[in-house]
Amino acid sequence: MRGSELLDKLSLVDSVYVEAAAAIPHRPLVCPNHRWAAVAACIALLAVVGGFWLGQVPTPGQSAPPNGTEGGLPPVTTQDAEDTQNEDAEGPAPQWDFYYNEMDTDYMADGARRYIPGYFRETLDKTELDAVQPGMWLEWMEFSGEAGFNGEGNLLEVFLWVTTSQPDTTVTVTLSTDGISPCFLLPEDAVSSTCNGMEYRLGRWVDPSGSISLLAEAQMHGIWFTFSLHTSADTEKQAQADFEDILECFTLYEQGEPNLSAVTAAEIPPWQDKNLSHTEALADTDFGAWFLPTAPSDFAEESIRRYQDQYTNALWGLWTREYDQLRWEVRYMTTEDADNLVAISEPETYDLSRYPIPRAESVPDQLRDTVDRPIFNAEELTWDVLSTRADTAADAGDSDGARMNFGVRYGDIVVEIQSKGVNPQWIYEQLMALRP
């Protein structure tokens, strides 16, 4: 139903005001200023003649729930846009211009950031999602998200994933609370764009494969916002239109939002990060029984580290000698480790002698992961099997010793070894001396 039809049916407003409201131009499937001006005008008129409540516009401070649920502004649909379009309106619809700064340098992946002790994430529940999503959305926009916390449970950032009108294409929106600037670099002379009083700086980057990234940054309500969308040349035009619509919607928060104080950690995962001596590592309750019993001769200990967070629980050590090195890691088995388990009866999954250099050409695609990093069951491991992992190919000026990369499974524990210039027979002896 058109706004003018609604007002006519209510018979509350002089026709001259109805005609004036209908003359406001409207751009389909966007959330521009003039749409809100029209809504505000209609509400003001209704308030004057009787204070009617339409049930479609959130009250100040009320979060607008997604998908047009009761109590919030419903999503704009194609039919809504067509119904409110006035082709006879005088003058163009007010809109803002987007200036994309062409970038000639790569940028960090979404969510990439500095090391944070104990960092963990939690999925946003509905209350938290309502508190951080914008005050308006389009019919194809759906929201999901996660919150990132430090090891003390303090909120650092919120990640929102917003769907677009194209399948399998989303815009990643990051709200950063700790003053960390966006993770991409714009040119020094980057041009800014202003929408609804908010200043955006936009970037466009094309990677060597031809993939296109649209990027944006803004500081709104004291919070750093970053936006990113990845697309191809074939779909860039529509992707850019969706990207700009989403940017505009994010300028339309309700009063008091985004409310990041509503985002809290349900549970803080255990975490630790500490350097150990070799003796302390061997005494570690979880992994000491599988740690390297004796350091290799003439190698210097670089570090032994015990680390645990939401994603990782491991003990590892590194020893070096000029160009040679040995890395020994003990951890709980992961899904990726399970995918790399091999049977000794299938040497094609791990025997390097079967695949000449360059292995990118000689190893079948379906075997690439296990040939690169097989994991053997401890009870099956023999010297004959392990010797097939010794790779003697070396670059000029580098160590000419054998290189090895493999793992050994002991129940739910995996020992992973990466070595260069260490005697393979010595490594095998250390594995046989473990105390599980």
Side-chain angles (χ1 to χ4, degrees):
M1 177 182 295
R2 294 180 59 179
S4 58
E5 294 172 345
L6 173 62
L7 295 176
D8 284 334
K9 289 182 182 298
L10 291 174
S11 300
L12 296 173
V13 183
D14 192 294
S15 61
V16 65
Y17 296 112
V18 176
E19 293 171 1
I24 298 176
H26 190 82
R27 182 161 58 102
L29 284 179
V30 189
C31 47
N33 288 338
H34 62 269
R35 172 178 300 151
W36 286 98
V39 173
C42 290
I43 294 174
L45 291 171
L46 290 172
V48 169
V49 296
F52 283 89
W53 169 243
L54 301 181
Q56 292 184 326
V57 180
T59 57
Q62 178 183 6
S63 176
N67 302 326
T69 54
E70 184 177 355
L73 182 66
V76 179
T77 65
T78 304
Q79 188 61 46
D80 293 332
E82 292 174 352
D83 287 345
T84 54
Q85 181 74 29
N86 187 347
E87 297 179 355
D88 297 327
E90 295 182 3
Q95 43 185 292
W96 65 297
D97 295 323
F98 294 80
Y99 302 100
Y100 287 87
N101 300 278
E102 292 294 333
M103 300 165 57
D104 59 2
T105 182
D106 197 353
Y107 63 93
M108 298 171 67
D110 296 334
R113 58 180 304 131
R114 71 197 189 288
Y115 166 71
I116 300 173
Y119 181 83
F120 67 97
R121 288 193 188 187
E122 288 184 351
T123 301
L124 298 179
D125 61 28
K126 185 181 183 305
T127 299
E128 294 170 330
L129 200 58
D130 288 348
V132 297
Q133 67 188 21
M136 185 173 182
W137 55 91
L138 309 183
E139 62 177 354
W140 38 257
M141 289 172 63
E142 295 182 0
F143 297 82
S144 59
E146 291 182 354
F149 304 87
N150 65 14
E152 304 302 322
N154 299 315
L155 179 67
L156 300 178
E157 58 204 351
V158 171
F159 299 98
L160 294 178
W161 294 283
V162 186
T163 59
T164 68
S165 67
Q166 302 181 85
D168 303 319
T169 303
T170 60
V171 173
T172 299
V173 186
T174 304
L175 289 68
S176 176
T177 66
D178 59 357
I180 300 301
S181 59
C183 14
F184 59 88
L185 298 176
L186 289 168
E188 292 184 2
D189 58 350
V191 179
S192 297
S193 307
T194 302
C195 173
N196 296 332
M198 296 298 179
E199 183 179 278
Y200 281 109
R201 296 208 304 169
L202 283 69
R204 179 181 180 274
W205 183 73
V206 181
D207 74 11
S209 69
S211 175
I212 298 170
S213 296
L214 302 180
L215 310 161
E217 66 175 22
Q219 193 168 22
M220 299 184 288
H221 314 287
I223 301 168
W224 268 114
F225 283 72
T226 62
F227 302 77
S228 64
L229 181 151
H230 310 296
T231 186
S232 65
D234 294 339
T235 58
E236 181 182 10
K237 184 177 180 179
Q238 183 60 49
Q240 180 175 315
D242 292 349
F243 190 63
E244 294 169 0
D245 288 348
I246 289 173
L247 291 180
E248 195 158 5
C249 284
F250 269 85
T251 67
L252 301 174
Y253 275 106
E254 294 298 313
Q255 183 178 356
E257 296 182 350
N259 180 16
L260 295 182
S261 65
V263 182
T264 58
E267 182 179 357
I268 301 176
W271 65 277
Q272 58 178 310
D273 184 7
K274 53 190 177 183
N275 294 319
L276 303 179
S277 67
H278 199 156
T279 300
E280 290 172 329
L282 292 173
D284 182 80
T285 303
D286 294 325
F287 303 125
W290 294 272
F291 198 64
L292 178 67
T294 305
S297 177
D298 300 330
F299 277 65
E301 179 184 304
E302 293 291 334
S303 66
I304 299 177
R305 188 178 178 193
R306 180 71 173 89
Y307 186 83
Q308 180 181 7
D309 63 14
Q310 181 183 26
Y311 314 98
T312 304
N313 191 1
L315 169 66
W316 62 80
L318 175 66
W319 295 263
T320 62
R321 181 185 61 190
E322 295 183 349
Y323 297 111
D324 299 331
Q325 66 178 28
L326 171 64
R327 187 178 190 278
W328 190 288
E329 177 178 345
V330 188
R331 63 174 180 271
Y332 288 112
M333 191 169 182
T334 66
T335 301
E336 182 181 357
D337 293 331
D339 292 339
N340 282 24
L341 277 174
V342 297
I344 62 172
S345 60
E346 301 174 349
E348 67 276 8
T349 61
Y350 62 84
D351 188 348
L352 293 178
S353 66
R354 292 170 172 255
Y355 304 109
I357 302 292
R359 293 197 174 93
E361 299 177 2
S362 63
V363 178
D365 290 343
Q366 69 273 19
L367 298 178
R368 210 172 288 278
D369 289 342
T370 59
V371 171
D372 178 62
R373 190 182 65 90
I375 296 180
F376 303 99
N377 287 302
E379 61 271 16
E380 296 182 329
L381 188 63
T382 66
W383 165 244
D384 288 339
V385 170
L386 191 60
S387 64
T388 66
R389 296 300 303 169
D391 191 353
T392 57
D395 297 328
D398 199 355
S399 171
D400 58 2
R403 290 157 168 74
M404 301 188 78
N405 185 15
F406 66 96
V408 183
R409 175 193 180 186
Y410 300 85
D412 61 349
I413 297 290
V414 169
V415 175
E416 183 170 10
I417 295 168
Q418 297 173 327
S419 69
K420 181 173 65 172
V422 183
N423 187 324
Q425 181 71 46
W426 182 89
I427 292 177
Y428 176 72
E429 292 171 356
Q430 299 307 305
L431 288 169
M432 294 298 101
L434 295 183
R435 305 168 283 119

